[in-house]
Amino acid sequence: MIPPTPLPRMRGGVVGATSALTGIAAHAAAQGMLPETSVLLLIAAASTALGLAVTAAPRLHALPALIAGQALVHVLLVLTSGHHHDLVSTPMAVMHTLGTIAAVLLLTGAGMLLRAASALALRVAVPQFRPQTPPSSFPVSVAPATAPVALLFLGAIGRRGPPISV
């Protein structure tokens, strides 16, 4: 498995957190009170699972994930609150919509900022930490052969010799 990069992690965290926060705020605005602690823990667990699912699927776009998160939190809060007749109200719908728009804007801006910062960091850090290339060969000064040219030309004397034993 390839570990996720910072951008999908950030997207998963923002999707999970904004789904929970705006869902709870929407229901508090519509019903006038916050849910019980056990329901808040259930919402936190569901939002964490949603954030992990978004992190694991980096090709998933933010808007469908946010809409799914809002729907998940909304359904959980309606089922656990006992107010099934308040399935949709105007303040609740406005809060869900505003939360989704704010999260999309936050994700877009944070993604642009993360890409720009990482490109700048690579541009600055890579030239300074480039490893030194070792020389491929060491220059060796060798005296030219001292055999007469005539003997070399006739093939009587070669440049090969017996192996050197150490």
Side-chain angles (χ1 to χ4, degrees):
M1 180 179 146
I2 299 172
T5 61
L7 195 58
R9 285 180 185 159
M10 179 192 64
R11 186 178 330 139
V14 169
V15 166
T18 56
S19 295
L21 291 175
T22 57
I24 291 168
H27 281 264
Q31 295 177 352
M33 63 179 179
L34 287 173
E36 297 175 2
T37 305
S38 60
V39 176
L40 290 175
L41 290 174
L42 177 68
I43 298 301
S47 298
T48 302
L50 176 70
L52 290 173
V54 170
T55 302
R59 296 198 188 272
L60 180 66
H61 293 288
L63 188 59
L66 285 166
I67 292 171
Q70 293 290 326
L72 172 72
V73 171
H74 177 76
V75 167
L76 284 173
L77 283 168
V78 166
L79 291 177
T80 56
S81 68
H83 297 284
H84 302 294
H85 58 278
D86 290 342
L87 190 58
V88 177
S89 67
T90 304
M92 191 181 307
V94 168
M95 285 296 290
H96 281 299
T97 304
L98 289 177
T100 302
I101 291 171
V104 166
L105 292 176
L106 176 70
L107 279 172
T108 303
M112 289 170 45
L113 183 64
L114 183 67
R115 285 186 189 100
S118 63
L120 179 65
L122 283 174
R123 190 175 301 150
V124 169
V126 168
Q128 293 182 3
F129 296 108
R130 189 165 287 154
Q132 296 285 335
T133 56
S136 59
S137 63
F138 296 100
V140 178
S141 60
V142 177
T146 56
V149 177
L151 290 176
L152 287 174
F153 189 66
L154 294 174
I157 296 178
R159 293 185 187 250
R160 286 188 63 197
I164 298 174
S165 61
V166 178

